[in-house]
Amino acid sequence: MAHDSELMKGKPVEDNNDPTLHSPEDGDSMTSDERYLQSLGYKQVSDYERLYLIALIEKLLHRQWSLFESFAASFAALYSVGGVRVTFTIGVGAGGPAAYWHVYFYFGELFLLITEQVKLCCYFWAAEAGGPKYGRLFGFIVAWWSTTAWTTFVASNSQAAANFLLSEISVFNLDFSTDVNDIKFRAVQWIVAEVILFISIGTNYFGPKLYKWIFKASVGIILLDFLLNIIWLPIAVSKTYGFQDAKFVFTETRNETGAPPVWNWMLSYYVTAGILVGFEASGHISEETKNASITSARGIFTSAVASALIGFPLVILFLFSMPSLDIIYGLGAPQPFVQLYAMSMGRGGHIFMNIVCIAGLMLNTSIAGIAASRLIWAVARDGVLPCSGWISKVSDKKEPKNAVTVMLIVAALLLCTILPSPVAFTSLVSAAGVPTITAYALISFGRTFLTPHGFKNARWSLGRWSRPLNFIAFVWNLYLAAILFSPLYFPVTGATLNYSPVIFGAITIFGFISWLVVPDDKWLPSERIGRLQKTVEADPHLD
């Protein structure tokens, strides 16, 4: 490369249009991704000269992942098969089967619209949506929201996997309580969840080449899980306790929450709001993805479509395949689906099914951890978090292992909430969903009212429909946030309180404080907010 000697010395290069840096014939991601990041003033890894990084970025950040890995990241992070199963009994308890299938169907349609509108929901997109006046504040707030949401997501996934494993206590009638109100059980639950967390996130220390196998395994286990439920479960149910009728599935209502009837029905959205989030994982790994400026958007949208398409038929199948509601709520396992599989498939058959469930959740946790750690690294790189300099450092192999460690420690601490609270799981689901949903809402608000004419020339765009659909996404996500803030059980007591609003309020305060404390020159300078729109309009090769 013509400028290697200059770059090695850290000297500036005057000709930023040098074809050795930007030639479209290079056949690599430099022509779009690195020109895009250069235009925003990013240096991709801390403590290196920016131009040297631009020249060698492929080596530094291991930009080796393709459309498949981008798709797999969001597809596995969503994991609609596992998500439906994990929160199934909560969903049918709020409104009954009639509410559950209605909610999933209509939510799925709006979910696809939201993925179209907020395809790369990162904190910098929030800053761009806020424009010159509010962009920096939006960026800091969403940075804290997003990093907390993804880290909490990792914690709640680990507890969900622990619940599947510990439900075998009830299946095999072991002499140990599985009542979540029993502190002894919660202590065991906490230990198992922590072990699962450390195993799942341990894979995040693998190099990108090796980690490709995790992406492949996650997609494979999700498809296997889906096929086993679609084929094996109906056969097993038909030979045991039999199917529910259509009247039960489509019209039966239920109120296990104790909430007023209308709000009880609305609470069924809690399940879908907790399942169909996380589609922006492809965006969080974009700096390790080839041609990320278009590949990440494609990965997000295709994974969202795939997740919605496999999720809805499973909801209908599970409703037809469940025993009566009284039986479901009489089961003593922390995850009733394990006992449902045992009732239909027998003790031997359900063990294999449960292994698939646990493996799927652990792979789901691992990939959520990859997305979370990359998000934390990117935010720290821009000086938003405490100890940003250390967090944003990369290893000798140019991997953000410090960010992985921070994410692991915080998630482990969040799991400690299991010990004092019997509703820790539902609160963690809310705490993971609320910041993400509110981030979607804030970005949609900004793009509707503050920067409605930005992003006009993106290659992946809805054109004139963008603004009205952004407004719909804004209103819809505010509504979902209210659902996720709500307690799930009434009357509300200290034992049933949903403490996600407390977590959300705290992280919003942290974001506001960091916005006040961190100087402009330690972050993206305020004059750069809005440069994205100008860059996109000036260069059709960028999106």
Side-chain angles (χ1 to χ4, degrees):
M1 186 171 287
H3 297 299
D4 272 354
S5 60
E6 305 292 333
L7 293 167
M8 291 295 288
K9 297 174 184 176
K11 294 181 179 180
V13 179
E14 297 298 331
D15 184 7
N16 287 333
N17 294 315
D18 191 318
T20 60
L21 288 176
H22 300 309
S23 173
E25 298 175 357
D26 287 347
D28 60 23
S29 61
M30 187 70 72
T31 57
S32 60
D33 299 325
E34 306 318 330
R35 294 173 66 198
Y36 165 70
L37 291 171
Q38 182 189 13
S39 73
L40 299 179
Y42 270 103
K43 59 176 184 177
Q44 295 222 2
V45 183
S46 299
D47 303 323
Y48 287 84
E49 289 80 8
R50 178 167 58 87
L51 291 176
Y52 180 59
L53 288 169
I54 293 171
L56 300 179
I57 195 68
E58 293 274 338
K59 297 178 182 178
L60 291 176
L61 286 189
H62 299 287
R63 196 177 286 272
Q64 301 173 36
W65 292 338
S66 61
L67 178 58
F68 174 79
E69 286 79 27
S70 182
F71 165 83
S74 288
F75 187 60
L78 285 165
Y79 189 23
S80 58
V81 181
V84 169
R85 193 167 43 212
V86 164
T87 56
F88 183 78
T89 52
I90 300 173
V92 293
Y100 196 6
W101 78 264
H102 268 101
V103 164
Y104 200 96
F105 177 76
Y106 292 116
F107 187 98
E109 294 180 359
L110 286 167
F111 164 67
L112 295 180
L113 290 177
I114 294 168
T115 61
E116 245 329 87
Q117 290 307 108
V118 198
K119 289 187 289 291
L120 291 178
C121 182
C122 63
Y123 83 100
F124 186 75
W125 248 232
E128 289 293 336
K133 186 174 183 180
Y134 300 105
R136 188 170 180 273
L137 176 60
F138 280 20
F140 273 72
I141 295 296
V142 170
W144 280 87
W145 285 353
S146 298
T147 52
T148 303
W150 277 90
T151 306
T152 309
F153 182 31
V154 168
S156 64
N157 265 10
S158 300
Q159 185 178 352
N163 286 344
F164 274 87
L165 180 60
L166 294 174
S167 292
E168 296 292 0
I169 295 173
S170 298
V171 172
F172 288 94
N173 296 316
L174 301 180
D175 187 20
F176 190 82
S177 172
T178 56
D179 185 353
V180 294
N181 293 307
D182 187 337
I183 183 60
K184 292 182 180 179
F185 172 73
R186 294 206 304 274
V188 173
Q189 189 182 43
W190 169 67
I191 293 170
V192 173
E194 294 282 12
V195 170
I196 289 173
L197 171 69
F198 276 81
I199 293 173
S200 301
I201 301 304
T203 59
N204 284 194
Y205 293 97
F206 293 167
K209 286 185 178 180
L210 182 58
Y211 201 84
K212 285 185 177 182
W213 292 101
I214 302 293
F215 284 122
K216 293 176 182 178
S218 66
V219 172
I221 203 77
I222 292 172
L223 295 178
L224 174 63
D225 197 355
F226 175 74
L227 291 174
L228 288 174
N229 280 286
I230 290 292
I231 298 171
W232 190 8
L233 180 60
I235 294 173
V237 170
S238 68
K239 293 181 178 180
T240 52
Y241 55 78
F243 296 103
Q244 293 288 349
D245 57 28
K247 181 180 179 181
F248 171 85
V249 171
F250 297 113
T251 65
E252 184 78 14
T253 60
R254 187 81 170 196
N255 189 338
E256 290 288 328
T257 68
V262 173
W263 192 247
N264 176 63
W265 182 284
M266 295 297 100
L267 283 175
S268 57
Y269 280 98
Y270 172 93
V271 175
T272 46
I275 296 170
L276 298 178
V277 293
F279 56 79
E280 75 275 17
S282 300
H284 297 325
I285 68 165
S286 61
E287 295 198 40
E288 293 168 277
T289 304
K290 298 176 182 178
N291 193 25
S293 55
I294 191 68
T295 299
S296 294
R298 286 174 175 165
I300 288 171
F301 187 69
T302 54
S303 64
V305 171
S307 297
L309 289 178
I310 69 175
F312 184 68
L314 276 177
V315 167
I316 299 299
L317 173 64
F318 288 159
L319 291 174
F320 273 105
S321 301
M322 65 184 288
S324 71
L325 290 171
D326 290 334
I327 292 176
I328 282 287
Y329 289 106
L331 298 175
Q335 178 41 257
F337 242 96
V338 176
Q339 285 183 290
L340 186 151
Y341 284 137
M343 291 166 59
S344 58
M345 300 172 179
R347 284 190 176 183
H350 99 278
I351 291 176
F352 177 75
M353 196 68 203
N354 202 17
I355 290 172
V356 171
C357 296
I358 295 169
L361 284 169
M362 291 182 70
L363 289 168
N364 178 217
T365 304
S366 176
I367 290 182
I370 280 286
S373 61
R374 271 53 181 179
L375 174 62
I376 291 169
W377 170 77
V379 169
R381 173 194 58 193
D382 296 328
V384 176
L385 301 177
C387 303
S388 285
W390 180 81
I391 296 172
S392 62
K393 284 183 179 179
V394 293
S395 68
D396 293 340
K397 295 183 178 180
K398 311 308 176 188
E399 297 160 9
K401 292 187 176 180
N402 289 354
V404 174
T405 301
V406 169
M407 180 263 300
L408 176 58
I409 292 171
V410 174
L413 291 174
L414 285 170
L415 281 177
C416 294
T417 58
I418 294 173
L419 294 172
S421 174
V423 294
F425 176 70
T426 54
S427 292
L428 285 175
V429 171
S430 297
V434 165
T436 305
I437 293 294
T438 50
Y440 299 162
L442 189 62
I443 291 172
S444 298
F445 171 81
R447 293 186 64 182
T448 301
F449 299 107
L450 303 178
T451 54
H453 303 298
F455 308 91
K456 291 189 294 187
N457 294 333
R459 282 183 281 171
W460 190 279
S461 172
L462 291 175
R464 70 180 62 184
W465 292 100
S466 180
R467 191 174 187 183
L469 291 177
N470 265 311
F471 179 73
I472 292 172
F474 166 62
V475 175
W476 175 243
N477 282 296
L478 283 183
Y479 168 72
L480 292 180
I483 299 295
L484 288 170
F485 275 137
S486 173
L488 273 180
Y489 303 101
F490 292 78
V492 180
T493 65
T496 62
L497 178 67
N498 180 354
Y499 53 77
S500 64
V502 178
I503 296 175
F504 180 79
I507 62 175
T508 302
I509 292 171
F510 290 149
F512 185 78
I513 292 173
S514 64
W515 171 71
L516 291 174
V517 171
V518 176
D520 276 5
D521 59 0
K522 296 296 183 181
W523 186 66
L524 297 175
S526 57
E527 61 267 20
R528 293 180 185 172
I529 298 301
R531 184 179 291 187
L532 175 62
Q533 292 95 323
K534 296 177 183 178
T535 304
V536 167
E537 292 172 7
D539 189 345
H541 294 293
L542 299 176
D543 62 358

